[in-house]
Amino acid sequence: MALSFDITSAETRNALRPAAKEKPPLIGLSRQELADTLVASGIVPERQAKMRASQLWHWLYVRGVSDFAEMFNISKDLRGALAAHFSVARPEIVEEQISSDGTRKWLFRFPPRGAGRPVEIETVYIPEEGRGTLCISSQVGCTLTCSFCHTGTQKLVRNLTAEEILVQLMTARDRLGDFPDRDTPAGAIVPAEGRRITNIVMMGMGEPLYNFEEVKKALLIASDGDGLSLSKRRITLSTSGVVPEIFRTGEEIGVMLAISLHAVRDDLRDMLVPINKKYPLKDLMAACRAYPGLSNARRITFEYVMLKDVNDSLADAKELVRLLKGIPAKINLIPFNPWPGTNYQCSDWETIEKFADAVNAAGYASPIRTPRGRDILAACGQLKSESERMRKSDRLALEAMMIAGHGEA
Ligand code: SAH
Ligand code: SF4
């Protein structure tokens, strides 16, 4: 049977072109997987596997090199063989924006990996007094449809791999000059302080607990003491409430947990965070109470987006306090970040302060998250891929809508 294609369209031509063969990445493999992969490729003998894996680990995660040619204690022949088989490259940076307040946002492009076309995701760096937080994406788009979230209007394109999750951190470190050991001779003592990225939060695009295995692999590597060395207490995973994976998050990854709560009654939460229909508040709270390692020193953060006349009454504040009773908790009040086409508005500043006062009076710290990087649209719920990027006119209209003068409570 003969097949014919209309190759007058560029799209068809591109689809027919054989994809450039990607070399498999070494970033994102555990030490054991790294050793096994080297042996399986036939370029490293079994007896050297552990040693070679440690060498590579050091170059990748302590020194931050992205080219085998820089791995000086590995012979030239082996470096060549590694480069012929594998990749340790950084992703393409499509765009880097720096806000007037120092916030940075990167748009990264990754290969299709089954999704049909290359995908683009955003990563945001937020510097603050004494710390710097990197907000990392776990999926391209999201299957969930929280009604106030811009990412929720975009369909899921695909899960990110452990490598793609990690290279967001590693490329941000490159760009911020935050691999201080890069040019230091092996064995030299380098001060650990003064790192630019001190914290990471899985609060970019996507629901991390719907990509559990890859997120787990990436976070275990990010927190490895002989590598990227981020303390697990400085890594926060935010979930909309995927109850069956919450216990595993504490048990198998051991990072700090944040819950996107946003409503204290099931009827309202069903609308704002529709996964609530599957896992209602009662189940969510039970999972929080059972979170491994929970203590006053390791509290769960409850995120609460302030939506005008929707969830911002004093009755809501009181119910919030009642709901969290007995759970070591921090409450993070997030001023809603509007986006074009949304029907929600951010609560008035006085309303947010009154809400915060009510929560504080009950003994909870409830910082109001200061809007950052607004001139580059770097805030929560505004991370979308380039394909869905706002037109300049929409962006200007949005900036005009934004409320000025928000400060830390
Ligand atoms: N999917 C995960 C993590 C990504 S969203 C989750 O939902 O927890 C990170 C945080 O930003 C969540 O608390 C989310 O509810 C919040 N968020 C989403 N859209 C927002 C918006 N427009 N304004 C303020 N916060 C928003
Ligand atoms: Fe997905 Fe989180 Fe946005 Fe909900 S708030 S749509 S879970 S990214």
Side-chain angles (χ1 to χ4, degrees):
M1 192 179 72
L3 270 181
S4 68
F5 295 101
D6 172 9
I7 53 165
T8 49
S9 103
E11 211 171 304
T12 315
R13 280 201 308 275
N14 282 339
L16 288 172
R17 192 169 291 148
K21 207 165 171 292
E22 269 177 66
K23 288 182 207 152
L26 292 183
I27 293 169
L29 302 179
S30 67
R31 277 196 181 77
Q32 187 60 50
E33 286 171 336
L34 192 51
D36 295 346
T37 304
L38 296 175
V39 174
S41 70
I43 53 177
V44 170
E46 182 103 47
R47 63 192 152 74
Q48 281 187 9
K50 223 173 147 200
M51 180 269 288
R52 294 296 182 200
S54 301
Q55 276 179 325
L56 279 163
W57 193 273
H58 182 84
W59 283 113
L60 294 176
Y61 301 122
V62 178
R63 300 299 197 93
V65 309
S66 51
D67 190 338
F68 291 106
E70 291 175 52
M71 302 182 175
F72 299 120
N73 61 353
I74 297 179
S75 76
K76 212 167 164 212
D77 286 352
L78 182 53
R79 284 188 325 229
L82 286 166
H85 282 77
F86 302 109
S87 164
V88 289
R90 298 289 189 259
E92 180 185 346
I93 303 176
V94 181
E95 201 177 345
E96 178 178 69
Q97 286 177 280
I98 305 179
S99 160
S100 50
D101 66 14
T103 301
R104 290 189 192 214
K105 185 168 80 172
W106 295 275
L107 181 69
F108 295 124
R109 182 174 293 147
F110 297 125
R113 301 203 167 131
R117 59 184 166 87
V119 294
E120 285 163 359
I121 58 102
E122 288 180 339
T123 306
V124 175
Y125 172 67
I126 304 159
E128 285 169 299
E129 195 62 39
R131 68 156 157 195
T133 305
L134 192 72
C135 179
I136 293 182
S137 294
S138 56
Q139 297 183 309
V140 188
C142 189
T143 48
L144 300 172
T145 51
C146 302
S147 54
F148 54 90
C149 172
H150 205 194
T151 307
T153 64
Q154 186 186 347
K155 286 208 191 79
L156 178 76
V157 178
R158 69 169 172 84
N159 281 335
L160 294 178
T161 63
E163 181 223 0
E164 291 165 337
I165 295 167
L166 273 173
V167 291
Q168 295 174 59
L169 168 61
M170 295 166 75
T171 314
R173 277 201 169 164
D174 292 342
R175 301 297 302 159
L176 293 163
D178 200 26
F179 269 116
D181 305 355
R182 171 164 287 165
D183 302 315
T184 315
I189 296 164
V190 178
E193 295 113 59
R195 298 302 280 255
R196 298 274 170 87
I197 299 172
T198 57
N199 293 59
I200 58 179
V201 291
M202 298 302 296
M203 291 188 188
M205 288 167 69
E207 169 49 58
L209 295 190
Y210 275 162
N211 187 15
F212 189 89
E213 294 304 330
E214 297 301 301
V215 166
K216 171 180 162 181
K217 276 168 87 176
L219 295 184
L220 291 181
I221 294 176
S223 58
D224 186 286
D226 288 326
L228 293 163
S229 280
L230 273 161
S231 151
K232 287 185 180 181
R233 308 215 26 193
R234 290 175 172 271
I235 301 178
T236 302
L237 183 148
S238 173
T239 178
S240 57
V242 186
V243 166
E245 309 290 357
I246 288 180
F247 188 81
R248 289 182 69 199
T249 303
E251 192 87 328
E252 297 176 29
I253 317 180
V255 293
M256 306 298 282
L257 182 69
I259 301 285
S260 293
L261 191 64
H262 307 318
V264 288
R265 298 188 324 264
D266 279 319
D267 57 344
L268 181 59
R269 196 164 188 269
D270 283 350
M271 288 195 292
L272 297 179
V273 187
I275 197 179
N276 194 70
K277 290 186 221 153
K278 202 163 176 191
Y279 307 116
L281 283 168
K282 192 169 141 287
D283 300 353
L284 180 58
M285 289 303 133
C288 289
R289 286 176 206 280
Y291 193 66
L294 191 59
S295 70
N296 277 336
R298 290 170 61 90
R299 294 165 192 256
I300 295 177
T301 300
F302 289 88
E303 296 157 277
Y304 197 94
V305 62
M306 298 299 294
L307 301 168
K308 187 177 178 140
D309 299 332
V310 174
N311 65 355
D312 62 353
S313 71
L314 276 182
D316 287 310
K318 288 194 184 123
E319 182 57 22
L320 175 59
V321 170
R322 204 193 59 78
L323 190 68
L324 301 186
K325 207 162 188 290
I327 304 179
K330 282 187 277 192
I331 298 166
N332 210 339
L333 300 179
I334 316 174
F336 170 63
N337 285 298
W339 36 273
T342 179
N343 292 323
Y344 295 107
Q345 287 176 293
C346 182
S347 307
D348 302 326
W349 193 242
E350 301 86 88
T351 310
I352 300 181
E353 282 191 328
K354 277 198 195 127
F355 197 101
D357 287 346
V359 171
N360 286 340
Y364 288 102
S366 60
I368 303 170
R369 197 186 287 167
T370 321
R372 298 293 305 271
R374 287 200 142 177
D375 51 344
I376 56 168
L377 288 185
C380 305
Q382 290 179 348
L383 304 187
K384 293 203 79 180
S385 62
E386 176 71 1
S387 56
E388 307 232 357
R389 208 136 251 258
M390 268 179 249
R391 293 201 319 272
K392 183 137 188 261
S393 54
D394 287 340
R395 192 154 125 161
L396 292 175
L398 178 65
E399 276 167 19
M401 273 161 71
M402 285 171 178
I403 315 132
H406 288 188
E408 196 104 276

